[in-house]
Each structure stands twice: as structure tokens, then as C-alpha cells.
Amino acid sequence: MKFLLPLAVASAAVAPAPVLAQQTVWPLGESVKSPSKALSVPTKLDPVSQSLTDMLNGGGRIVASHLGATGPVVTLTWRKRNVLCILQGANPATDQNVATSECYALN
């Protein structure tokens, strides 16, 4: 049994290295030169002066979401537009005592 533990540790230490070296990170870094790397092009971000709540109550539909650095990020369709909203929850440790949304139309 004592022989198997060092062998398992040694094989685990050797095995992940080739696997990690082959993983692709997305998006590709700035210094990567590859035909599959997209160019960075200017993109329109039109501020929307409606809250996420108002857009959803007005017929908006969430099409995607994920957890960002400061809270949920939601993409929705609203009035034939694609809108990206960054949500920030209430935080008793700061002056922010209500949840807010910061939204931008992409088209």
C-alpha cells in the first residue's frame, strides 16, 4: 500500500501537464497570432435608461446570463434590440442599499 501512494502521486503530477498544455483559453490573448483569432473592432454600446425590471415587464426576454465579477450579467431582447445588463445587488457594507442595473443596447 505504501508503494501505491507515491506511484499515484507521481503519475498525477506527470499526467496533467500535457493535458493543460493542450487546453485553449478563450478569448485568445492579444499576443496570439492565429487565423482563428478575431480582430478587435469597435462595437456600439448605447446606454439604455430603463431598468432591467422595466424592460422585462415591458416584454423583454432573457436569452443568456452568467455571473460576472460584480454580479449577474444578463442579455435580453427588448423592442427588437439586444441589450446587455450588468446587475449589482444591494450591499449593506456600502451606501448601495438597492439593487441596480446598468444596461447597454448592442444594436
Side-chain angles (χ1 to χ4, degrees):
M1 198 64 158
K2 290 181 182 179
F3 174 74
L4 292 178
L5 183 58
L7 181 60
V9 170
S11 64
V14 173
V19 174
L20 291 176
Q22 294 174 1
Q23 290 180 347
T24 302
V25 176
W26 190 90
L28 296 174
E30 291 295 320
S31 62
V32 173
K33 294 184 181 190
S34 167
S36 60
K37 171 141 176 60
L39 297 174
S40 294
V41 294
T43 299
K44 178 181 169 183
L45 286 176
D46 246 354
V48 176
S49 60
Q50 298 280 337
S51 73
L52 178 58
T53 302
D54 290 344
M55 286 186 280
L56 291 172
N57 288 339
R61 292 184 349 176
I62 294 175
V63 295
S65 67
H66 74 277
L67 188 56
T70 61
V73 178
V74 176
T75 306
L76 66 143
T77 57
W78 175 67
R79 295 185 181 170
K80 297 184 181 181
R81 299 177 92 184
N82 296 298
V83 180
L84 181 68
C85 292
I86 303 158
L87 300 173
Q88 198 158 34
N91 184 352
T94 67
D95 289 339
Q96 183 158 343
N97 56 10
V98 297
T100 60
S101 57
E102 184 177 322
C103 300
Y104 299 91
L106 299 169
N107 62 337

Coordinates of all heavy atoms in Angstrom, one line a residue:
M1 N 0.8 -1.2 0.0 CA 0.0 0.0 0.0 C 0.9 1.3 0.0 O 0.5 2.2 -0.6 CB -0.9 0.0 1.2 CG -2.1 0.9 1.1 SD -3.1 0.3 -0.3 CE -4.6 1.1 0.2
K2 N 2.0 1.2 0.8 CA 2.9 2.4 0.8 C 3.5 2.7 -0.6 O 3.7 3.8 -0.9 CB 4.0 2.2 1.8 CG 3.5 2.2 3.2 CD 4.7 2.0 4.2 CE 4.2 2.0 5.6 NZ 5.3 1.7 6.6
F3 N 3.7 1.6 -1.4 CA 4.3 1.8 -2.7 C 3.3 2.4 -3.7 O 3.6 3.2 -4.5 CB 4.7 0.4 -3.2 CG 5.2 0.5 -4.7 CD1 6.4 1.0 -5.0 CD2 4.4 0.0 -5.7 CE1 6.8 1.1 -6.3 CE2 4.8 0.1 -7.0 CZ 6.1 0.6 -7.3
L4 N 2.0 2.1 -3.5 CA 1.0 2.6 -4.5 C 0.8 4.1 -4.3 O 0.5 4.8 -5.3 CB -0.3 1.9 -4.3 CG -0.4 0.4 -4.7 CD1 -1.7 -0.2 -4.4 CD2 0.0 0.3 -6.1
L5 N 0.8 4.7 -3.1 CA 0.6 6.1 -2.9 C 1.6 7.0 -3.6 O 1.2 7.9 -4.4 CB 0.5 6.4 -1.4 CG 0.2 7.9 -1.1 CD1 -1.1 8.3 -1.7 CD2 0.2 8.1 0.4
P6 N 2.9 6.7 -3.5 CA 3.9 7.6 -4.2 C 3.7 7.4 -5.7 O 3.9 8.3 -6.5 CB 5.3 7.1 -3.7 CG 5.0 6.4 -2.4 CD 3.6 5.9 -2.5
L7 N 3.4 6.2 -6.2 CA 3.2 6.0 -7.6 C 2.0 6.8 -8.1 O 2.1 7.4 -9.2 CB 3.0 4.5 -7.9 CG 2.8 4.1 -9.3 CD1 4.1 4.5 -10.1 CD2 2.6 2.6 -9.4
A8 N 0.9 6.8 -7.3 CA -0.3 7.6 -7.7 C 0.0 9.1 -7.8 O -0.4 9.8 -8.7 CB -1.4 7.3 -6.8
V9 N 0.8 9.5 -6.8 CA 1.1 11.0 -6.7 C 2.0 11.3 -7.9 O 1.9 12.3 -8.5 CB 1.8 11.3 -5.4 CG1 2.4 12.7 -5.4 CG2 0.8 11.1 -4.2
A10 N 3.0 10.5 -8.2 CA 3.9 10.7 -9.3 C 3.2 10.7 -10.6 O 3.5 11.6 -11.4 CB 5.1 9.7 -9.3
S11 N 2.3 9.8 -10.8 CA 1.6 9.8 -12.1 C 0.6 10.9 -12.2 O 0.4 11.5 -13.3 CB 0.9 8.4 -12.3 OG -0.1 8.3 -11.3
A12 N 0.0 11.4 -11.1 CA -0.9 12.5 -11.2 C -0.1 13.8 -11.5 O -0.6 14.7 -12.2 CB -1.6 12.6 -9.9
A13 N 1.1 13.9 -11.0 CA 1.9 15.1 -11.2 C 2.4 15.1 -12.6 O 2.6 16.2 -13.2 CB 3.1 15.1 -10.2
V14 N 2.6 14.0 -13.3 CA 3.1 14.0 -14.7 C 1.9 14.1 -15.7 O 2.0 14.8 -16.7 CB 3.9 12.7 -14.9 CG1 4.3 12.5 -16.4 CG2 5.1 12.7 -14.0
A15 N 0.8 13.4 -15.4 CA -0.3 13.4 -16.4 C -0.9 14.7 -16.7 O -1.2 15.0 -17.9 CB -1.3 12.4 -15.9
P16 N -1.2 15.6 -15.7 CA -1.9 16.8 -16.1 C -1.1 17.8 -17.0 O -1.7 18.5 -17.7 CB -2.3 17.4 -14.8 CG -2.2 16.4 -13.8 CD -1.2 15.4 -14.3
A17 N 0.2 17.7 -17.0 CA 1.0 18.7 -17.7 C 0.7 18.7 -19.2 O 0.4 19.8 -19.7 CB 2.5 18.5 -17.4
P18 N 0.7 17.6 -19.9 CA 0.3 17.6 -21.3 C -1.1 18.0 -21.6 O -1.4 18.7 -22.5 CB 0.6 16.2 -21.8 CG 1.4 15.5 -20.7 CD 1.1 16.3 -19.5
V19 N -2.0 17.6 -20.7 CA -3.4 18.0 -20.9 C -3.6 19.5 -20.7 O -4.3 20.1 -21.6 CB -4.3 17.2 -19.8 CG1 -5.7 17.7 -19.9 CG2 -4.2 15.7 -20.0
L20 N -3.0 20.1 -19.7 CA -3.1 21.6 -19.5 C -2.5 22.3 -20.7 O -2.9 23.4 -21.1 CB -2.5 22.0 -18.2 CG -3.2 21.5 -17.0 CD1 -2.4 21.9 -15.7 CD2 -4.6 22.1 -16.9
A21 N -1.4 21.8 -21.2 CA -0.7 22.5 -22.3 C -1.5 22.5 -23.6 O -1.4 23.4 -24.4 CB 0.6 21.8 -22.6
Q22 N -2.5 21.6 -23.7 CA -3.3 21.5 -24.9 C -4.6 22.3 -24.8 O -5.3 22.4 -25.8 CB -3.6 20.0 -25.2 CG -2.3 19.3 -25.6 CD -2.6 17.8 -25.8 OE1 -3.7 17.3 -25.6 NE2 -1.6 17.0 -26.1
Q23 N -5.0 22.7 -23.6 CA -6.2 23.4 -23.5 C -6.1 24.8 -24.1 O -5.1 25.5 -24.0 CB -6.6 23.6 -22.0 CG -7.0 22.2 -21.4 CD -7.4 22.4 -19.9 OE1 -7.1 23.4 -19.3 NE2 -8.0 21.4 -19.3
T24 N -7.2 25.2 -24.8 CA -7.3 26.5 -25.4 C -8.0 27.5 -24.5 O -9.0 27.1 -23.9 CB -8.0 26.5 -26.7 OG1 -7.3 25.5 -27.6 CG2 -8.1 27.8 -27.4
V25 N -7.4 28.6 -24.2 CA -8.1 29.7 -23.4 C -8.8 30.6 -24.3 O -8.3 31.0 -25.4 CB -7.0 30.5 -22.6 CG1 -7.6 31.6 -21.8 CG2 -6.2 29.5 -21.7
W26 N -10.0 30.9 -24.0 CA -10.9 31.8 -24.8 C -11.2 33.1 -24.0 O -11.5 33.0 -22.9 CB -12.1 31.1 -25.2 CG -12.9 31.9 -26.3 CD1 -12.7 31.8 -27.6 CD2 -13.8 32.9 -26.0 NE1 -13.5 32.7 -28.2 CE2 -14.2 33.4 -27.3 CE3 -14.4 33.5 -24.9 CZ2 -15.2 34.4 -27.5 CZ3 -15.3 34.5 -25.1 CH2 -15.7 34.9 -26.3
P27 N -11.2 34.2 -24.6 CA -10.7 34.5 -25.9 C -9.2 34.4 -26.0 O -8.5 34.5 -25.0 CB -11.2 35.9 -26.2 CG -11.3 36.6 -24.9 CD -11.6 35.5 -23.9
L28 N -8.7 34.2 -27.2 CA -7.3 34.1 -27.4 C -6.6 35.4 -27.0 O -7.1 36.5 -27.2 CB -7.0 33.8 -28.9 CG -7.5 32.5 -29.4 CD1 -7.3 32.4 -30.9 CD2 -6.9 31.3 -28.7
G29 N -5.4 35.3 -26.4 CA -4.7 36.5 -25.9 C -4.3 37.5 -27.0 O -4.3 37.1 -28.2
E30 N -4.0 38.7 -26.6 CA -3.6 39.7 -27.5 C -2.3 39.3 -28.4 O -2.2 39.7 -29.5 CB -3.3 41.0 -26.8 CG -4.5 41.7 -26.2 CD -5.5 42.1 -27.2 OE1 -5.1 42.7 -28.3 OE2 -6.7 42.0 -27.0
S31 N -1.4 38.6 -27.7 CA -0.2 38.3 -28.4 C -0.3 37.0 -29.3 O 0.6 36.7 -30.1 CB 0.9 38.1 -27.4 OG 0.6 37.0 -26.6
V32 N -1.4 36.4 -29.3 CA -1.6 35.2 -30.1 C -1.8 35.5 -31.6 O -2.6 36.4 -31.9 CB -2.9 34.3 -29.6 CG1 -3.1 33.2 -30.5 CG2 -2.6 33.9 -28.2
K33 N -1.0 34.9 -32.4 CA -1.1 35.1 -33.9 C -1.7 33.8 -34.4 O -1.0 32.8 -34.5 CB 0.2 35.4 -34.5 CG 0.7 36.7 -34.0 CD 2.0 37.2 -34.6 CE 2.3 38.5 -34.0 NZ 3.4 39.2 -34.6
S34 N -3.0 33.8 -34.8 CA -3.7 32.6 -35.3 C -4.7 33.1 -36.2 O -5.4 34.1 -36.0 CB -4.3 31.9 -34.1 OG -5.2 30.9 -34.5
P35 N -5.0 32.3 -37.3 CA -6.1 32.6 -38.2 C -7.4 32.5 -37.6 O -8.4 33.1 -38.1 CB -5.9 31.6 -39.3 CG -5.0 30.6 -38.9 CD -4.2 31.1 -37.7
S36 N -7.5 31.9 -36.4 CA -8.8 31.7 -35.7 C -9.0 32.8 -34.7 O -10.0 32.9 -34.0 CB -9.0 30.4 -35.1 OG -8.0 30.2 -34.1
K37 N -8.1 33.8 -34.6 CA -8.3 34.9 -33.6 C -9.0 36.0 -34.3 O -8.6 36.5 -35.4 CB -6.9 35.4 -33.2 CG -7.1 36.7 -32.4 CD -6.2 36.8 -31.2 CE -6.2 38.1 -30.5 NZ -7.5 38.5 -29.9
A38 N -10.1 36.5 -33.7 CA -10.9 37.6 -34.3 C -10.2 38.9 -34.0 O -9.5 39.1 -33.1 CB -12.3 37.6 -33.6
L39 N -10.4 39.8 -34.9 CA -9.9 41.2 -34.8 C -10.7 41.9 -33.7 O -11.9 41.7 -33.6 CB -10.0 41.9 -36.1 CG -9.2 41.3 -37.3 CD1 -9.5 42.1 -38.5 CD2 -7.7 41.4 -36.9
S40 N -10.1 42.8 -33.1 CA -10.8 43.7 -32.1 C -11.3 44.9 -32.9 O -10.6 45.6 -33.5 CB -9.9 44.2 -31.0 OG -9.4 43.2 -30.2
V41 N -12.7 45.0 -33.0 CA -13.3 46.1 -33.7 C -14.2 46.9 -32.8 O -14.8 46.3 -31.9 CB -14.1 45.5 -35.0 CG1 -13.1 44.9 -36.0 CG2 -15.1 44.5 -34.5
P42 N -14.4 48.2 -33.1 CA -15.3 49.0 -32.3 C -16.7 48.4 -32.3 O -17.2 48.0 -33.3 CB -15.2 50.4 -32.9 CG -13.9 50.4 -33.7 CD -13.7 49.0 -34.1
T43 N -17.3 48.4 -31.2 CA -18.7 47.9 -31.0 C -19.5 49.0 -30.3 O -19.1 49.5 -29.3 CB -18.7 46.6 -30.2 OG1 -18.0 45.6 -30.9 CG2 -20.1 46.1 -30.0
K44 N -20.7 49.2 -30.9 CA -21.6 50.2 -30.3 C -22.2 49.7 -29.0 O -22.7 48.6 -28.9 CB -22.7 50.4 -31.3 CG -23.8 51.4 -30.9 CD -24.8 51.5 -32.0 CE -26.1 52.3 -31.5 NZ -27.1 52.3 -32.5
L45 N -22.2 50.5 -28.0 CA -22.8 50.2 -26.7 C -23.6 51.4 -26.4 O -23.1 52.4 -25.9 CB -21.8 50.0 -25.6 CG -21.1 48.6 -25.6 CD1 -20.0 48.6 -24.5 CD2 -22.0 47.5 -25.4
D46 N -24.9 51.4 -26.7 CA -25.8 52.5 -26.4 C -26.4 52.4 -25.0 O -27.1 51.4 -24.7 CB -27.0 52.4 -27.4 CG -27.0 53.6 -28.4 OD1 -26.2 54.5 -28.2 OD2 -27.8 53.5 -29.3
P47 N -26.2 53.3 -24.1 CA -26.8 53.3 -22.8 C -28.3 53.3 -22.9 O -28.9 54.0 -23.7 CB -26.3 54.6 -22.1 CG -25.1 55.0 -22.9 CD -25.3 54.5 -24.3
V48 N -28.9 52.4 -22.1 CA -30.4 52.3 -22.0 C -30.8 52.9 -20.7 O -30.3 52.5 -19.6 CB -30.8 50.9 -22.2 CG1 -32.3 50.7 -22.0 CG2 -30.4 50.3 -23.5
S49 N -31.7 53.8 -20.7 CA -32.1 54.5 -19.5 C -33.4 53.8 -18.8 O -34.1 54.4 -18.1 CB -32.4 56.0 -19.7 OG -33.5 56.1 -20.7
Q50 N -33.6 52.6 -19.1 CA -34.6 51.8 -18.5 C -34.0 50.8 -17.5 O -32.9 50.3 -17.8 CB -35.4 51.0 -19.5 CG -36.1 51.8 -20.5 CD -37.4 52.4 -19.9 OE1 -38.0 51.8 -19.0 NE2 -37.9 53.4 -20.5
S51 N -34.7 50.4 -16.4 CA -34.2 49.4 -15.5 C -34.5 48.0 -16.2 O -35.3 47.9 -17.0 CB -34.8 49.5 -14.2 OG -36.2 49.0 -14.2
L52 N -33.7 47.0 -15.7 CA -33.9 45.7 -16.2 C -35.4 45.3 -15.9 O -36.0 44.6 -16.7 CB -32.9 44.7 -15.6 CG -33.1 43.2 -16.0 CD1 -33.0 43.0 -17.5 CD2 -32.0 42.4 -15.3
T53 N -35.8 45.6 -14.7 CA -37.2 45.3 -14.3 C -38.2 45.9 -15.3 O -39.1 45.2 -15.7 CB -37.5 45.9 -12.9 OG1 -36.6 45.3 -12.0 CG2 -38.9 45.5 -12.4
D54 N -38.1 47.1 -15.7 CA -39.0 47.8 -16.6 C -38.9 47.1 -18.0 O -40.0 46.9 -18.6 CB -38.7 49.3 -16.8 CG -39.0 50.1 -15.5 OD1 -39.8 49.5 -14.6 OD2 -38.5 51.2 -15.4
M55 N -37.7 46.7 -18.4 CA -37.6 46.1 -19.7 C -38.3 44.7 -19.7 O -39.0 44.3 -20.7 CB -36.2 46.0 -20.2 CG -35.6 47.3 -20.6 SD -34.0 47.2 -21.3 CE -33.0 47.1 -19.8
L56 N -38.1 43.9 -18.6 CA -38.8 42.6 -18.5 C -40.3 42.8 -18.4 O -41.0 42.0 -19.1 CB -38.2 41.8 -17.4 CG -36.8 41.4 -17.5 CD1 -36.2 40.8 -16.2 CD2 -36.6 40.4 -18.6
N57 N -40.7 43.7 -17.7 CA -42.2 44.0 -17.5 C -42.8 44.5 -18.9 O -44.0 44.3 -19.1 CB -42.5 45.0 -16.4 CG -42.3 44.3 -15.1 OD1 -42.3 43.1 -14.9 ND2 -42.1 45.2 -14.1
G58 N -41.9 45.1 -19.7 CA -42.4 45.6 -21.0 C -42.2 44.6 -22.1 O -42.2 45.0 -23.3
G59 N -42.1 43.4 -21.8 CA -42.0 42.3 -22.9 C -40.6 41.8 -23.2 O -40.4 41.0 -24.1
G60 N -39.6 42.3 -22.5 CA -38.2 41.8 -22.7 C -38.1 40.3 -22.3 O -38.8 39.9 -21.4
R61 N -37.2 39.6 -23.0 CA -37.0 38.2 -22.7 C -35.5 38.0 -22.5 O -34.7 38.4 -23.3 CB -37.5 37.3 -23.8 CG -39.0 37.3 -23.9 CD -39.4 36.3 -25.0 NE -38.3 35.9 -25.8 CZ -38.3 34.9 -26.7 NH1 -39.5 34.4 -27.0 NH2 -37.3 34.6 -27.4
I62 N -35.1 37.3 -21.4 CA -33.7 37.0 -21.1 C -33.3 35.8 -22.0 O -34.0 34.8 -22.1 CB -33.5 36.6 -19.6 CG1 -33.8 37.8 -18.7 CG2 -32.1 36.0 -19.4 CD1 -33.7 37.5 -17.3
V63 N -32.2 36.0 -22.8 CA -31.7 35.0 -23.7 C -30.4 34.3 -23.2 O -30.1 33.3 -23.6 CB -31.5 35.5 -25.1 CG1 -32.9 35.9 -25.7 CG2 -30.6 36.7 -25.1
A64 N -29.7 35.0 -22.2 CA -28.5 34.5 -21.7 C -28.1 35.2 -20.4 O -28.5 36.3 -20.2 CB -27.3 34.6 -22.7
S65 N -27.4 34.5 -19.5 CA -26.9 35.1 -18.3 C -25.7 34.4 -17.8 O -25.5 33.2 -18.1 CB -28.0 35.1 -17.2 OG -28.3 33.8 -16.8
H66 N -24.9 35.1 -17.0 CA -23.8 34.5 -16.4 C -23.4 35.3 -15.2 O -23.8 36.5 -15.0 CB -22.6 34.2 -17.3 CG -21.8 35.5 -17.7 ND1 -22.2 36.4 -18.6 CD2 -20.7 36.0 -17.1 CE1 -21.4 37.4 -18.7 NE2 -20.4 37.2 -17.8
L67 N -22.5 34.8 -14.3 CA -22.1 35.5 -13.1 C -20.8 36.3 -13.4 O -19.8 35.7 -13.7 CB -21.9 34.6 -12.0 CG -21.7 35.2 -10.6 CD1 -22.8 36.2 -10.2 CD2 -21.5 34.2 -9.5
G68 N -20.9 37.6 -13.4 CA -19.7 38.4 -13.7 C -19.0 38.7 -12.4 O -19.3 38.2 -11.3
A69 N -18.0 39.6 -12.4 CA -17.2 40.0 -11.3 C -17.9 40.6 -10.2 O -17.7 40.4 -9.0 CB -16.0 40.8 -11.7
T70 N -18.9 41.5 -10.5 CA -19.7 42.2 -9.5 C -21.1 41.7 -9.4 O -21.9 42.2 -8.5 CB -19.7 43.7 -9.9 OG1 -20.4 43.9 -11.1 CG2 -18.4 44.3 -9.9
G71 N -21.5 40.7 -10.1 CA -22.9 40.2 -10.0 C -23.3 39.6 -11.4 O -22.5 39.5 -12.3
P72 N -24.6 39.3 -11.5 CA -25.1 38.7 -12.8 C -25.0 39.6 -13.9 O -25.2 40.8 -13.8 CB -26.6 38.4 -12.5 CG -26.7 38.4 -11.0 CD -25.6 39.3 -10.5
V73 N -24.7 39.1 -15.1 CA -24.7 39.8 -16.4 C -25.8 39.1 -17.2 O -25.8 37.9 -17.4 CB -23.4 39.8 -17.1 CG1 -23.4 40.5 -18.4 CG2 -22.3 40.4 -16.2
V74 N -26.8 39.9 -17.7 CA -27.9 39.3 -18.4 C -28.0 39.9 -19.8 O -27.8 41.1 -20.0 CB -29.2 39.7 -17.6 CG1 -30.5 39.2 -18.4 CG2 -29.2 39.1 -16.2
T75 N -28.3 39.1 -20.8 CA -28.5 39.6 -22.2 C -30.0 39.3 -22.4 O -30.5 38.2 -22.2 CB -27.7 38.8 -23.2 OG1 -26.3 38.9 -22.8 CG2 -27.8 39.3 -24.6
L76 N -30.7 40.3 -23.0 CA -32.1 40.1 -23.3 C -32.5 40.8 -24.6 O -31.7 41.6 -25.1 CB -33.0 40.7 -22.1 CG -32.9 42.3 -22.0 CD1 -34.3 42.8 -21.6 CD2 -32.0 42.6 -20.8
T77 N -33.6 40.4 -25.1 CA -34.2 41.0 -26.3 C -35.3 41.9 -25.8 O -36.1 41.5 -24.9 CB -34.7 40.0 -27.3 OG1 -35.6 39.2 -26.7 CG2 -33.6 39.2 -27.9
W78 N -35.3 43.1 -26.3 CA -36.4 44.1 -25.8 C -36.6 45.1 -27.0 O -35.6 45.7 -27.4 CB -35.9 44.8 -24.6 CG -36.8 45.9 -24.1 CD1 -38.0 45.8 -23.6 CD2 -36.5 47.3 -24.0 NE1 -38.5 47.0 -23.2 CE2 -37.6 48.0 -23.4 CE3 -35.3 48.0 -24.4 CZ2 -37.6 49.3 -23.2 CZ3 -35.4 49.4 -24.2 CH2 -36.5 50.0 -23.6
R79 N -37.8 45.2 -27.5 CA -38.1 46.1 -28.6 C -37.2 46.0 -29.8 O -36.7 46.9 -30.3 CB -38.1 47.6 -28.1 CG -39.2 47.9 -27.1 CD -39.2 49.3 -26.7 NE -40.2 49.6 -25.7 CZ -40.3 50.8 -25.1 NH1 -39.5 51.7 -25.3 NH2 -41.2 50.9 -24.2
K80 N -37.0 44.7 -30.2 CA -36.2 44.4 -31.4 C -34.7 44.8 -31.2 O -34.0 45.0 -32.1 CB -36.7 45.0 -32.6 CG -38.1 44.5 -33.0 CD -38.5 45.1 -34.3 CE -39.9 44.6 -34.6 NZ -40.4 45.1 -35.9
R81 N -34.3 44.9 -29.9 CA -32.9 45.2 -29.6 C -32.3 44.1 -28.7 O -33.0 43.5 -28.0 CB -32.8 46.6 -28.9 CG -33.3 47.7 -29.7 CD -33.3 49.0 -29.0 NE -32.0 49.7 -29.2 CZ -31.6 50.8 -28.7 NH1 -32.4 51.4 -27.8 NH2 -30.5 51.3 -29.0
N82 N -31.0 44.0 -28.8 CA -30.3 43.1 -27.9 C -29.6 44.0 -26.9 O -28.9 44.9 -27.2 CB -29.2 42.3 -28.7 CG -29.9 41.4 -29.7 OD1 -30.6 40.5 -29.3 ND2 -29.6 41.6 -30.9
V83 N -29.9 43.7 -25.6 CA -29.5 44.5 -24.5 C -28.7 43.7 -23.5 O -29.0 42.6 -23.1 CB -30.7 45.2 -23.8 CG1 -30.2 46.1 -22.7 CG2 -31.6 46.0 -24.8
L84 N -27.5 44.3 -23.1 CA -26.7 43.7 -22.1 C -26.8 44.4 -20.8 O -26.6 45.7 -20.8 CB -25.2 43.7 -22.6 CG -24.1 43.1 -21.8 CD1 -24.3 41.6 -21.7 CD2 -22.8 43.5 -22.3
C85 N -27.1 43.8 -19.7 CA -27.3 44.4 -18.4 C -26.4 43.8 -17.4 O -26.3 42.6 -17.2 CB -28.8 44.3 -17.9 SG -30.0 45.2 -18.9
I86 N -25.7 44.7 -16.6 CA -24.9 44.3 -15.5 C -25.6 44.6 -14.3 O -26.0 45.8 -14.1 CB -23.6 45.1 -15.6 CG1 -22.9 44.8 -16.9 CG2 -22.6 44.7 -14.4 CD1 -21.9 45.9 -17.3
L87 N -25.9 43.6 -13.4 CA -26.6 43.8 -12.2 C -25.7 43.9 -11.0 O -24.7 43.3 -11.0 CB -27.5 42.6 -12.0 CG -28.6 42.4 -13.1 CD1 -29.3 41.1 -12.8 CD2 -29.6 43.5 -13.1
Q88 N -26.0 44.8 -10.1 CA -25.3 44.9 -8.9 C -26.3 44.9 -7.7 O -27.2 45.7 -7.7 CB -24.5 46.2 -8.9 CG -23.4 46.2 -7.9 CD -22.3 47.2 -8.2 OE1 -22.6 48.2 -8.8 NE2 -21.1 46.9 -7.9
G89 N -26.1 43.9 -6.8 CA -27.0 43.8 -5.7 C -26.8 44.8 -4.6 O -25.8 45.5 -4.6
A90 N -27.8 44.8 -3.7 CA -27.6 45.7 -2.6 C -26.4 45.2 -1.7 O -26.2 44.0 -1.6 CB -28.9 45.7 -1.7
N91 N -25.7 46.1 -1.1 CA -24.6 45.8 -0.3 C -24.6 46.6 1.0 O -24.3 47.8 0.9 CB -23.3 46.1 -1.1 CG -22.0 45.6 -0.4 OD1 -22.1 45.2 0.8 ND2 -20.9 45.7 -1.1
P92 N -24.9 45.9 2.1 CA -25.0 46.7 3.3 C -23.7 47.3 3.8 O -23.6 48.2 4.6 CB -25.5 45.6 4.3 CG -25.7 44.4 3.6 CD -25.3 44.5 2.2
A93 N -22.6 46.8 3.2 CA -21.3 47.3 3.6 C -20.9 48.6 2.9 O -20.0 49.3 3.3 CB -20.2 46.3 3.3
T94 N -21.7 49.0 1.9 CA -21.5 50.3 1.2 C -22.8 51.1 1.3 O -23.8 50.7 1.9 CB -21.2 50.0 -0.3 OG1 -22.3 49.4 -0.9 CG2 -20.0 49.1 -0.4
D95 N -22.8 52.2 0.6 CA -24.1 53.0 0.5 C -25.1 52.5 -0.4 O -26.2 53.0 -0.5 CB -23.7 54.4 0.1 CG -22.9 55.2 1.2 OD1 -23.1 54.8 2.3 OD2 -22.3 56.2 0.8
Q96 N -24.8 51.4 -1.2 CA -25.7 50.8 -2.1 C -26.7 50.0 -1.4 O -26.4 48.8 -1.0 CB -25.0 50.0 -3.2 CG -26.0 49.5 -4.2 CD -25.3 49.2 -5.5 OE1 -24.2 49.6 -5.8 NE2 -26.0 48.5 -6.4
N97 N -28.0 50.5 -1.2 CA -29.0 49.8 -0.4 C -30.1 49.2 -1.3 O -31.0 48.6 -0.8 CB -29.5 50.6 0.7 CG -30.1 51.9 0.2 OD1 -30.3 52.1 -1.0 ND2 -30.5 52.8 1.1
V98 N -30.0 49.4 -2.6 CA -30.9 48.7 -3.5 C -30.2 48.1 -4.7 O -29.1 48.6 -5.0 CB -32.0 49.7 -4.1 CG1 -32.9 50.3 -3.0 CG2 -31.3 50.8 -4.8
A99 N -30.7 47.1 -5.3 CA -30.1 46.5 -6.5 C -30.2 47.5 -7.7 O -31.2 48.2 -7.8 CB -30.8 45.2 -6.8
T100 N -29.2 47.5 -8.5 CA -29.3 48.4 -9.7 C -28.9 47.6 -10.9 O -28.3 46.5 -10.8 CB -28.3 49.6 -9.6 OG1 -27.0 49.1 -9.4 CG2 -28.7 50.5 -8.4
S101 N -29.3 48.1 -12.1 CA -28.9 47.5 -13.4 C -28.3 48.6 -14.3 O -28.8 49.7 -14.3 CB -30.1 46.8 -14.1 OG -31.1 47.7 -14.3
E102 N -27.3 48.3 -15.0 CA -26.6 49.2 -15.9 C -26.7 48.5 -17.3 O -26.1 47.4 -17.5 CB -25.2 49.4 -15.5 CG -24.4 50.3 -16.3 CD -23.0 50.5 -15.8 OE1 -22.8 50.5 -14.6 OE2 -22.1 50.6 -16.7
C103 N -27.5 49.0 -18.2 CA -27.8 48.3 -19.4 C -27.3 49.1 -20.7 O -27.4 50.3 -20.7 CB -29.3 48.1 -19.5 SG -30.0 47.1 -18.1
Y104 N -26.9 48.3 -21.7 CA -26.5 48.9 -22.9 C -27.1 48.1 -24.1 O -27.1 46.9 -24.1 CB -24.9 48.7 -23.0 CG -24.2 49.5 -22.0 CD1 -23.9 48.8 -20.8 CD2 -23.9 50.8 -22.1 CE1 -23.2 49.5 -19.8 CE2 -23.2 51.5 -21.1 CZ -22.9 50.8 -19.9 OH -22.2 51.5 -19.0
A105 N -27.6 48.8 -25.1 CA -28.1 48.2 -26.3 C -26.9 47.9 -27.2 O -26.1 48.7 -27.4 CB -29.1 49.1 -27.0
L106 N -26.9 46.7 -27.8 CA -25.8 46.3 -28.7 C -26.2 46.6 -30.2 O -25.3 46.6 -31.0 CB -25.5 44.8 -28.6 CG -25.1 44.4 -27.2 CD1 -25.0 42.9 -27.0 CD2 -23.7 45.0 -26.9
N107 N -27.5 46.9 -30.5 CA -27.9 47.2 -31.8 C -29.0 48.3 -31.8 O -29.5 48.6 -30.8 CB -28.3 46.0 -32.6 CG -29.5 45.3 -32.0 OD1 -29.8 45.5 -30.8 ND2 -30.2 44.5 -32.8

